[in-house]
Amino acid sequence: LGVKDPDVMTRVTEYVPQIIEFVQKIVDKGLAYKGGSGSVYLDIDAFKTQGHHYRKLSPFSGDTSAADMAEGEGELAGEAAEKKNPNDFALWKSSKPGEPAWPSPWGTGRPGWHIECSVVAGDILGANMDIHAGGSDLKFPHHDNELAQSEAYYGHHQWVNYFFHAGHLHIKGLKMSKSLKNFITIRQALQEHSARQIRLMFLMQPWDRPMNFSDQTVGAAKSKEAQFKNFFGTVKALIRSKWLDEEVGWRSREEDRALYDQIADCQSKCHHGFCDNFNTPQVVDALSSLVTYCNNYLSRPPPAAPAVYLVQKAAVYITQILKVVGVAEGADDIGFPVSSAGSEAEVEGPLDALTEFRDAVRSIARKKGPVEEILGACDAVA
């Protein structure tokens, strides 16, 4: 899918000593306490007394409901009784028989659900990070509790500057889950669709809203990919033609200037789209609209001739943006990379012939020419 490797890969089990030290420091500050079972909880009342705010990402008034805690903590029946406040959450959990367990100052136990994220991130990134991402369902309690325990440990009021919360993936309109048996892995998806098509499908939907994986959304992505592919093929064939042997420059001044303006408009829409909460659907739409405009520009009947450098400029820009979003890769200035070295050069002749044939048929169809002209174009290819 073109996802880059991380700089560091970590395991929670490799961080248990640091997790224990992290929890101990919060206890020493008077912001956490040991319950009767041996679990350690963050003391929300004490946390607030020191000037901190809880919850930040999912604001609320009053106490966290039992349903919220059960959803987020896997609440056990005996825990509520040993908490000072229902909002208190576990930093360290006492282990039940058969569960993973490590020795600690509070007895045998294991890390709480949220604590490892703060400890690992703090070890790698320090006391503050710029961007933290995750699914929208993690706002509360996971990310809210990460913020609270980290601010308690570091003694400041802003552990993260920005949160990106992505929408859930839906399969044919329903949230993907094992219980609904509509679960699909990336490997399974790649058996039917290319990585480029899957990435395009996600780019055509807002990243921070529920995203749908369906025949319709994948089909739309495949159509968009085909549109870009055909356009790149047309432009490459145009560049390979003997256009320099003819008059160059803007020979159709009004149409050529209009194309120039369309390219500038596309560049502006892409820039504003990226600046507007990474609005990739707007970016893809802008690129697609420019392709449509270029295709219409190129399909004008003779004697109209294209300004080749302008068309090339549009194709290069579209390729650049597709590289930015991970849809195109490689060193080619225009288009998607070919499957093997030299293979594009080997098929240039047939590609050019097919492109000329397609353009001829389109021209005949637009002017509603006779069937004989189409048959003549067929004979020319043969």
Side-chain angles (χ1 to χ4, degrees):
L1 291 179
V3 178
K4 294 182 179 179
D5 290 335
D7 294 328
V8 182
M9 184 171 69
T10 60
R11 294 186 178 95
V12 177
T13 52
E14 298 169 356
Y15 271 84
V16 173
Q18 294 96 316
I19 289 173
I20 292 173
E21 292 175 6
F22 195 97
V23 175
Q24 184 63 62
K25 182 174 178 179
I26 298 175
V27 172
D28 293 342
K29 286 185 171 186
L31 296 177
Y33 60 91
K34 176 183 176 182
S37 69
S39 295
V40 179
Y41 300 95
L42 187 77
D43 190 333
I44 293 298
D45 291 332
F47 181 70
K48 289 181 176 179
T49 299
Q50 291 197 8
H52 296 282
H53 179 72
Y54 181 84
R55 302 157 15 185
K56 286 187 172 180
L57 299 179
S58 296
F60 77 125
S61 58
D63 293 332
T64 303
S65 69
D68 282 340
M69 295 309 297
E71 172 72 17
E73 296 283 319
E75 185 74 359
L76 300 176
E79 287 192 348
E82 67 178 6
K83 290 183 178 182
K84 294 180 180 180
N85 184 314
N87 298 321
D88 297 347
F89 60 89
L91 303 175
W92 182 263
K93 293 268 243 179
S94 59
S95 292
K96 297 184 294 183
E99 290 184 339
W102 291 266
S104 79
W106 317 286
T108 301
R110 57 185 174 81
W113 178 31
H114 321 288
I115 196 71
E116 70 270 12
C117 297
S118 294
V119 177
V120 173
D123 179 53
I124 303 300
L125 301 174
N128 175 268
M129 72 176 79
D130 195 31
I131 297 173
H132 191 333
S136 58
D137 58 326
L138 296 180
K139 284 185 180 181
F140 179 81
H142 188 51
H143 288 163
D144 270 320
N145 290 354
E146 277 188 71
L147 287 172
Q149 65 199 14
S150 298
E151 291 174 8
Y153 177 85
Y154 291 112
H156 57 40
H157 296 275
Q158 187 157 320
W159 184 54
V160 174
N161 295 337
Y162 303 98
F163 271 96
F164 291 174
H165 288 107
H168 290 142
L169 181 62
H170 287 64
I171 306 295
K172 297 181 179 179
L174 296 175
K175 181 180 175 182
M176 185 173 74
S177 68
K178 289 184 178 179
S179 61
L180 292 176
K181 297 182 179 180
N182 66 343
F183 191 87
I184 184 170
T185 67
I186 293 175
R187 286 187 179 90
Q188 289 171 332
L190 287 173
Q191 290 176 359
E192 298 183 21
H193 318 293
S194 71
R196 182 184 300 134
Q197 291 161 357
I198 293 175
R199 182 173 277 272
L200 259 176
M201 180 201 68
F202 287 126
L203 290 169
M204 292 167 67
Q205 303 179 64
W207 68 271
D208 57 345
R209 299 178 190 172
M211 288 182 268
N212 196 27
F213 182 91
S214 66
D215 294 340
Q216 290 76 21
T217 55
V218 174
K222 289 181 176 180
S223 296
K224 200 68 67 178
E225 178 193 38
Q227 182 193 33
F228 289 133
K229 266 186 175 181
N230 292 335
F231 173 65
F232 293 142
T234 299
V235 175
K236 288 180 179 180
L238 177 63
I239 294 172
R240 289 193 299 267
S241 69
K242 297 180 180 180
W243 63 276
L244 283 173
D245 295 342
E246 304 173 9
E247 181 184 352
V248 296
W250 286 7
R251 288 164 286 181
S252 305
R253 289 196 173 274
E254 290 186 8
E255 292 88 345
D256 295 339
R257 186 168 297 280
L259 175 58
Y260 180 86
D261 291 341
Q262 285 293 322
I263 296 171
D265 182 62
C266 176
Q267 292 172 329
S268 176
K269 287 179 178 176
C270 288
H271 175 76
H272 286 95
F274 283 129
C275 291
D276 181 18
N277 194 29
F278 299 104
N279 189 344
T280 55
Q282 176 178 316
V283 172
V284 174
D285 284 345
L287 298 179
S288 178
S289 295
L290 180 57
V291 169
T292 300
Y293 193 93
C294 287
N295 285 336
N296 291 333
Y297 171 85
L298 291 171
S299 64
R300 294 171 300 162
V308 177
Y309 277 135
L310 264 186
V311 179
Q312 177 179 281
K313 177 183 177 71
V316 168
Y317 178 74
I318 292 169
T319 303
Q320 288 174 342
I321 298 301
L322 292 179
K323 286 182 178 180
V324 167
V325 295
V327 171
E329 63 280 340
D332 292 349
D333 290 332
I334 295 176
F336 304 126
V338 293
S339 57
S340 61
S343 60
E344 185 170 13
E346 293 172 4
V347 297
E348 280 182 359
L351 281 176
D352 291 348
L354 288 173
T355 300
E356 291 176 6
F357 172 69
R358 182 194 63 189
D359 293 343
V361 171
R362 282 179 174 174
S363 177
I364 296 168
R366 283 192 175 91
K367 67 179 184 180
K368 298 181 180 180
V371 175
E372 288 75 15
E373 287 192 35
I374 296 178
L375 294 176
C378 294
D379 292 337
V381 173

